[in-house]
Amino acid sequence: MTEPAELPQAPAEAQAVFGELFPEAVRYAELLADAGVKRGLIGPREVPRLWERHLLNCAVLSEVVPEGVTVCDVGSGARLPGIPLALVRPDLKITLLEPLLRRTNFLQEVVELLGLDHVTVVRGRAEEVLGKLQPVHVVTARAVAPLDRLAGWGVPLLKPYGEMLALKGDTAEEELNGARAALSKLGVLETEVLQVGEGLVDPLSTVVRVVVGESPGGVRFAAKRAKAARTERTRRRR
């Protein structure tokens, strides 16, 4: 039987990024390396590069998240970038959206253990919570699907003029170009590719930023959102 990979010591950059909550970041890394692997949330081969490839890569997303906003993190079951972002940005109100029960259980344990009072775990798919979850200023995600599909999940959850920030890889520009028609139908008005983490991560983290207009998700999702809201109001009155 293969011995489990050992979590490396946190690099010096981690102390600078996480500041006062560095001990909590270390505890989260330990949880990912142990329970996260055992529960299938990350692969064992990812443990040696947890800090550089995962925690720091996600935490530097905070550079482009406005202050004091609401955030919904969709996708990755181990909750990257949601938890690292929460550790560096206590000013944010973050919702972790996850459809699988075993993953939401893990996330709830992490949130309670790390004392992240500004984080809420919600079980469900993006399309299922439309009209039930309060629209947010920012949606975050990390390489969980091609950009056009990811935007179809995340953009409808936004407030008017909100933005989706998706951590992507080297093909971000190419992916963005291929998704422009789909993004336009979703009510996206602006797009750009950013690089963050100068002096902290190497290579830099690449972020695709899309900004919506007054109708996030476009006409089709506006109708879905209104219908879901009416259904939810009816349910609450019963």
Side-chain angles (χ1 to χ4, degrees):
M1 186 174 180
T2 304
E3 287 293 322
E6 184 177 346
L7 177 68
Q9 185 176 354
E13 292 83 359
Q15 180 79 63
V17 171
F18 292 103
E20 292 182 0
L21 289 186
F22 172 69
E24 283 77 6
V26 172
R27 185 68 184 116
Y28 178 50
E30 292 170 346
L31 287 168
L32 287 177
D34 185 6
V37 172
K38 291 176 181 176
R39 299 190 195 185
L41 300 176
I42 65 166
R45 293 182 179 180
E46 296 303 310
V47 173
R49 50 185 183 177
L50 261 179
W51 284 106
E52 287 83 358
R53 182 177 173 85
H54 298 290
L55 274 72
L56 290 174
N57 176 270
C58 290
V60 295
L61 180 64
S62 65
E63 294 178 13
V64 289
V65 178
E67 289 191 14
V69 298
T70 53
V71 177
C72 183
D73 187 48
V74 301
S76 172
R79 205 42 57 193
L80 300 159
I83 295 293
L85 183 61
L87 286 168
V88 297
R89 293 292 299 277
D91 60 298
L92 304 175
K93 186 175 181 180
I94 300 176
T95 298
L96 307 180
L97 184 60
E98 170 56 51
L100 297 184
L101 179 60
R102 65 183 175 87
R103 292 178 177 176
T104 55
N105 286 342
F106 173 78
L107 294 174
Q108 192 60 52
E109 292 168 15
V110 169
V111 166
E112 292 174 4
L113 184 64
L114 301 184
L116 300 176
D117 297 335
H118 57 306
V119 177
T120 302
V121 179
V122 173
R123 186 184 176 198
R125 299 183 183 279
E127 57 269 31
E128 295 170 347
V129 301
L130 197 63
K132 301 175 185 177
L133 198 66
Q134 285 293 315
V136 296
H137 298 98
V138 177
V139 165
T140 58
R142 186 188 190 217
V144 295
L147 186 60
D148 54 352
R149 196 189 317 164
L150 179 59
W153 299 335
V155 166
L157 301 176
L158 290 168
K159 290 176 177 284
Y161 307 104
E163 59 190 85
M164 185 179 77
L165 300 171
L167 280 161
K168 287 287 184 178
D170 296 338
T171 60
E173 287 278 7
E174 180 181 342
E175 198 171 333
L176 177 57
N177 289 332
R180 289 194 187 281
L183 294 175
S184 180
K185 290 180 181 179
L186 290 168
V188 172
L189 299 182
E190 301 174 29
T191 63
E192 62 180 326
V193 175
L194 307 168
Q195 290 196 308
V196 295
E198 182 71 42
L200 298 169
V201 293
D202 183 19
L204 299 179
S205 298
T206 301
V207 181
V208 175
R209 177 176 179 260
V210 302
V211 181
V212 299
E214 62 183 20
S215 184
V219 175
R220 182 164 63 93
F221 280 99
K224 279 189 174 184
R225 192 183 295 107
K227 181 179 179 181
R230 288 195 299 271
T231 301
E232 182 66 11
R233 286 196 297 269
T234 301
R235 185 190 67 78
R236 289 177 179 176
R237 285 198 294 266
R238 289 175 180 169

